[in-house]
Amino acid sequence: MTHNTSTRLTDALERDLLAKAMENQFRFRPLRAVGKFVNGIASFTAAARAKTNARDMV
């Protein structure tokens, strides 16, 4: 569906789209959760290494 600034949704279509979005908002997504976990660990180790390298330079 293409839309521009003058496109208008019917009330029924808008209601359906909002209902679907609200349902999907709370659906558990295991791969996304694993990805966030891995990214968290990676950023933690990167921060720890940066602190260690900064401390070793002084």
Side-chain angles (χ1 to χ4, degrees), residues 13-56:
L13 179 58
E14 185 176 6
R15 217 176 1 259
D16 290 344
L17 289 173
L18 284 172
K20 175 84 65 184
M22 290 174 70
E23 288 174 10
N24 287 338
Q25 181 179 5
F26 296 109
R27 191 176 73 186
F28 180 66
R29 295 189 168 116
L31 291 178
R32 190 174 287 182
V34 170
K36 284 184 178 182
F37 178 73
V38 170
N39 283 339
I41 290 175
S43 64
F44 174 77
T45 56
R49 285 182 181 164
K51 279 186 178 180
T52 302
N53 289 339
R55 190 176 22 178
D56 290 342

